[in-house]
Amino acid sequence: MKIVVCVKQVPDTSEVRIDQKTGTMIREGVKSIINPDDLSGLEAALSIKDQNHAEVIALSMGPMQADSAMRECLAMGVDRAILVSDRVFAGADTWATSLLLSKAIAQINPDLIICGRQAIDGDTAQVGPQIAEHLSLPSVAYVGDITLENENNLVVKRTFENGYQLIRVKTPCLLTVLSEMNSPRYMRVGGIFSAFNDGLVEVWDNSNLNLQPEELGLKGSPTKVKKSYTKGVKTAGKVFDVEPKEAAKVIIEKLKESYIL
Amino acid sequence: MEFGFKKEHYLLRQMLQDFTEKEVAPLAAEIDELERFPIETVEKMKNVGILGIPFPKEYGGEGGDYLGYILAVEEISKACATTGVVLSGHTSLCCQPIYEFGTEEQKQKYLVPLAKGEKLGAFALTEPNAGTDASKQETIAIEDGDDYILNGSKIFITNAGYADVYIVMAMTDKSQGTRGITAFIVEGDTPGFSVGPKEKKMGIRGSSTCELIFEDVRVPKANILGKIGYGFKIAMKTLDGGRIGIAAQACGIAEGALNETVKYVKERKQFGRPLAAFQNTQFELATMATKVDAARMLLYRAAYKKDNKEPFSSEAAMAKLYASEVAMEVTNKAVQLHGGYGYSREYPVERMMRDAKITEIYEGTSEVQKMVISATLLK
Ligand SMILES: Cc1cc2nc3c(=O)[nH]c(=O)nc-3n(C[C@H](O)[C@H](O)[C@H](O)COP(=O)(O)OP(=O)(O)OC[C@H]3O[C@@H](n4cnc5c(N)ncnc54)[C@H](O)[C@@H]3O)c2cc1C
């Protein structure tokens, strides 16, 4: 079984700083980490590999700086790490990114593609399902558990706020997974040393993918960011621990207080 | 940039910090309080390769280097000095001499499982009458056919009882003085070998420190490490490297105490201001941080020299001498800046101050380090 895990290097901050002029993120001075949902995707793939014959390939699109994230993947135990990186990719939105990743994945031809649900720097949750669309593959989002039924079938648990569905899905397919599904393994010490000494991060640029200029970067990105801003801090909410009848009264009162009623 | 670090060392440190925070720190207070050996942490260290960092993969190791091992002792000791010494006793005092002086068969038989972490190691030099003057070995080994028969006792042996493999120094020819001492690899389940009760200690209380008793312990000649009469040399060389491990433990303890103190002084308020607002606090912290950093530079330099096969004996002694003094001073100040809370077991700096003291004593007291350093100067 061949598994591709899509991995994004993201700034480690809950408070993303935005350049007010350009509307893009300021990355300088912020530590980079592997996106938490993606780490769980790696763990899910590697634990399939622990039990079965499988090849795990980490795939990332990003600047060359993401090389360090790819080394982390190698240190965790992936078999191959592919970084898709080219200046002409810069400025890609989720559409351009997913198109590009789908082209790369098509060349690898995996049985299973695992993406994190969403990246903490963008929070769109779009790239995974879009890749599946580009490749015309079935996809299940918000997966909290994966069971290999046999070579051709998976049973996955799609989680909701107040319940879950068990879905049988045929491979090849794409899943997006939640960081709550597992706790990612530690990198192994020997894995860290060999990731730098004899590990190889394969770098693919557009000559490998052959995307047309209009499909690339800002040109290939239909999303136009109008304005980015950091949300102001709200004051802490107030909890009224009361019976429903009483609660209705409180709500009406509060709405009147704010002149909404 | 840190002295001698390559990219892999930064990533290793990141992994070790993660490991320490999740697996080591939560147990630190409990194993100290209960004087309990952290057996489950040993298992976890094994699973991620921490017990064989500097050894080649063909000997069961992780293909790393001494600096990588030093980082592990340092990071782990920031949270728990007990776990730090379990690791350093195993790696630098047992695996390392087998790697450096062992035959190919000994490496296959002992180093491979030790470096994989399937077995734990210990080192036994000290005796009731042979402490700083380690040459006065009273444990005797007498030749008998294909074996040697060991009789005597060792004291204060780290990892005793939990270790499977012991490097034991014994006198094979008293008339030869230090050249009459031989190093043996002794398996923990050899008949006649036993472990005494656990020492009750001031610090590193989770670690096991015991007497070893040898009553007609038969050890095959194949288990002689190096050659007959080379034991003292092997012990001294082993301690040269081991000292870098203790310097790392000392740096870790000091850094841990400093971090705790920085956190505390921002929270604790007196006279309407956080303690951090007093200039005395700021100046104390500045001095502490400067000394900790100086100690770390000496530490990394010693490891760098060892990794690059340069003479490092004096540098290792300097690192250990200075780092252990800094650990004592910084933990003492950390308790002072915590006030009464620092004296209470509610806060970790109390344990850290008790743990720091041992770094000035074992693997050569501070006085011994000064002897080593001055001997290099005056030779
Ligand atoms: C917790 C713990 C763990 C240990 N683990 C191990 C272990 O795993 N393996 C092992 O072999 N040993 C171990 N040791 C033993 C340790 O290395 C010795 O305790 C240490 O070397 C000092 O020896 P001593 O205790 O006999 O002190 P002594 O040699 O009696 O020294 C007492 C004091 O006299 C000073 N002194 C002695 N000679 C001189 C001199 N010539 N000039 C100036 N000052 C001098 C010393 O510096 C010290 O201050 C451990 C000890 C402890 C407490």
Side-chain angles (χ1 to χ4, degrees):
Chain A
M1 181 171 216
K2 213 183 222 185
I3 309 171
V4 164
V5 183
C6 294
V7 170
K8 186 181 187 188
Q9 189 180 46
V10 293
D12 180 13
T13 168
S14 44
E15 205 174 299
V16 183
R17 290 180 308 143
I18 303 281
D19 185 326
Q20 297 296 348
K21 274 187 213 144
T22 62
T24 53
M25 287 177 13
I26 306 169
R27 283 176 175 269
E28 282 82 59
V30 184
K31 204 182 125 211
S32 294
I33 57 166
I34 293 179
N35 181 52
D37 284 344
D38 304 353
L39 261 187
S40 287
L42 280 168
E43 176 57 38
L46 290 169
S47 55
I48 291 175
K49 189 188 160 186
D50 290 342
Q51 309 288 333
N52 308 271
H53 183 73
E55 184 190 13
V56 179
I57 301 148
L59 173 68
S60 184
M61 182 196 96
M64 282 311 291
Q65 183 207 315
D67 177 82
S68 62
M70 302 316 284
R71 306 270 169 198
E72 275 185 55
C73 297
L74 287 169
M76 281 177 77
V78 306
D79 300 288
R80 285 172 72 192
I82 302 170
L83 175 60
V84 183
S85 191
D86 197 319
R87 278 171 186 277
V88 298
F89 298 158
D93 69 356
T94 61
W95 175 266
T97 303
S98 59
L99 181 65
L100 197 149
L101 286 172
S102 68
K103 297 274 181 201
I105 290 167
Q107 294 192 22
I108 304 166
N109 195 24
D111 305 288
L112 173 62
I113 304 148
I114 303 180
C115 295
R117 167 193 42 181
Q118 63 190 43
I120 54 170
D121 58 348
D123 279 343
T124 68
Q126 291 167 358
V127 170
Q130 282 179 5
I131 292 173
E133 288 304 309
H134 288 304
L135 294 169
S136 300
L137 290 179
S139 74
V140 183
Y142 287 75
V143 169
D145 191 35
I146 306 170
T147 316
L148 226 60
E149 216 176 37
N150 54 46
E151 269 290 297
N152 309 311
N153 285 306
L154 308 175
V155 175
V156 301
K157 183 172 168 180
R158 172 154 69 170
T159 57
F160 299 97
E161 234 165 67
N162 47 11
Y164 62 86
Q165 294 171 335
L166 288 177
I167 299 174
R168 178 172 294 120
V169 53
K170 272 207 179 95
T171 59
C173 64
L174 182 143
L175 311 175
T176 80
V177 299
L178 311 174
S179 60
E180 300 88 85
M181 82 182 291
N182 54 35
S183 32
R185 66 194 57 196
Y186 296 105
M187 290 173 265
R188 198 184 163 88
V189 175
I192 294 172
F193 280 97
S194 56
F196 286 94
N197 296 328
D198 38 60
L200 174 73
V201 174
E202 299 164 50
V203 180
W204 291 6
D205 60 17
N206 197 35
S207 68
N208 300 77
L209 303 181
N210 286 318
L211 284 149
Q212 298 310 303
E214 64 274 14
E215 295 174 315
L216 290 168
L218 283 171
K219 260 195 186 161
S221 298
T223 317
K224 298 287 173 252
V225 179
K226 229 173 132 189
K227 188 185 169 206
S228 294
Y229 54 94
T230 320
K231 253 203 280 184
V233 184
K234 282 190 198 158
T235 52
K238 209 170 168 189
V239 178
F240 296 88
D241 192 6
V242 291
E243 294 296 313
K245 254 196 182 158
E246 187 65 17
K249 269 189 211 155
V250 174
I251 291 170
I252 290 169
E253 228 167 73
K254 290 286 156 194
L255 290 174
K256 277 185 180 160
E257 247 174 53
S258 322
Y259 301 104
I260 293 169
L261 288 181
Chain B
M1 204 208 78
E2 305 278 14
F3 193 97
F5 275 41
K6 295 196 218 118
K7 280 183 179 168
E8 52 264 43
H9 296 109
Y10 291 100
L11 188 58
L12 175 63
R13 184 164 68 180
Q14 179 189 318
M15 171 264 174
L16 289 163
Q17 284 171 350
D18 189 24
F19 179 86
T20 301
E21 184 192 319
K22 294 193 190 118
E23 316 294 345
V24 181
L27 282 183
E30 179 202 322
I31 62 169
D32 171 70
E33 187 66 29
L34 303 178
E35 304 194 26
R36 181 170 80 71
F37 187 84
I39 191 81
E40 63 272 56
T41 314
V42 174
E43 179 68 18
K44 288 174 185 166
M45 290 197 287
K46 166 191 142 182
N47 292 340
V48 294
I50 293 177
L51 294 172
I53 297 176
F55 309 107
K57 293 204 161 133
E58 66 258 38
Y59 293 128
E62 298 295 309
D65 52 16
Y66 215 71
L67 180 58
Y69 151 65
I70 286 309
L71 287 176
V73 177
E74 182 189 358
E75 288 304 330
I76 286 172
S77 299
K78 281 188 193 174
C80 177
T82 282
T83 311
V85 77
V86 173
L87 172 61
S88 85
H90 165 84
T91 312
S92 49
L93 298 187
C94 186
C95 299
Q96 186 70 24
I98 298 176
Y99 176 54
E100 272 182 51
F101 307 103
T103 61
E104 187 57 33
E105 291 81 64
Q106 288 170 345
K107 286 182 200 169
Q108 292 301 336
K109 186 168 180 193
Y110 295 108
L111 181 56
V112 168
L114 282 164
K116 281 186 179 168
E118 293 162 3
K119 291 192 169 165
L120 194 66
F123 172 87
L125 173 68
T126 307
E127 296 184 359
N129 294 318
T132 298
D133 185 4
S135 68
K136 296 288 181 307
Q137 295 284 305
E138 291 175 359
T139 297
I140 303 288
I142 293 171
E143 194 176 354
D144 182 49
D146 286 340
D147 306 324
Y148 270 83
I149 296 175
L150 272 64
N151 276 289
S153 72
K154 298 285 170 184
I155 198 170
F156 293 142
I157 305 309
T158 300
N159 290 346
Y162 294 91
D164 307 281
V165 179
Y166 297 77
I167 307 295
V168 179
M169 308 303 149
M171 197 58 102
T172 40
D173 185 352
K174 204 165 182 184
S175 68
Q176 298 281 314
T178 55
R179 291 198 182 148
I181 297 170
T182 301
F184 294 89
I185 304 172
V186 180
E187 296 180 19
D189 56 2
T190 315
F193 171 85
S194 60
V195 174
K198 211 167 159 176
E199 208 71 51
K200 291 204 171 293
K201 306 191 296 288
M202 171 195 281
I204 54 165
R205 289 169 23 128
S207 74
S208 168
T209 315
C210 312
E211 188 184 0
L212 305 182
I213 302 136
F214 300 85
E215 288 169 312
D216 293 330
V217 176
R218 201 170 265 279
V219 181
K221 281 183 179 163
N223 281 21
I224 290 171
L225 188 60
K227 287 190 218 151
I228 290 283
Y230 274 61
F232 194 73
K233 223 175 170 177
I234 289 174
M236 292 306 118
K237 286 230 163 180
T238 299
L239 289 171
D240 275 346
R243 273 165 200 154
I244 313 178
I246 302 309
Q249 187 195 25
C251 283
I253 297 170
E255 288 167 75
L258 177 59
N259 294 343
E260 289 297 330
T261 308
V262 167
K263 220 164 48 185
Y264 184 79
V265 297
K266 287 193 214 159
E267 284 162 10
R268 172 73 173 169
K269 286 202 177 82
Q270 286 293 282
F271 297 96
R273 305 152 78 189
L275 299 181
F278 300 117
Q279 197 175 50
N280 178 62
T281 309
Q282 297 161 5
F283 283 10
E284 288 287 30
L285 287 175
T287 308
M288 288 157 79
T290 305
K291 290 190 173 182
V292 165
D293 250 23
R296 289 174 58 227
M297 292 233 186
L298 286 176
L299 168 67
Y300 299 150
R301 179 184 66 167
Y304 177 86
K305 290 210 161 199
K306 179 162 170 50
D307 276 329
N308 286 280
K309 313 233 166 351
E310 293 175 39
F312 65 91
S313 173
S314 185
E315 287 79 1
M318 285 181 187
K320 194 217 173 228
L321 172 66
Y322 189 69
S324 59
E325 284 178 353
V326 167
M328 231 16 248
E329 185 182 330
V330 166
T331 52
N332 185 14
K333 288 201 164 150
V335 169
Q336 190 66 22
L337 286 168
H338 276 69
Y341 298 93
Y343 198 69
S344 153
R345 291 208 179 162
E346 283 294 304
Y347 285 84
V349 290
E350 178 270 345
R351 164 172 48 87
M352 291 167 168
M353 183 174 164
R354 285 185 286 106
D355 286 348
K357 183 62 202 175
I358 191 58
T359 63
E360 291 185 318
I361 296 171
Y362 58 15
E363 301 203 27
T365 60
S366 290
E367 293 72 28
V368 169
Q369 309 311 322
K370 288 176 186 167
M371 291 179 203
V372 172
I373 298 161
S374 60
T376 315
L377 288 173
L378 300 171
K379 75 173 173 210

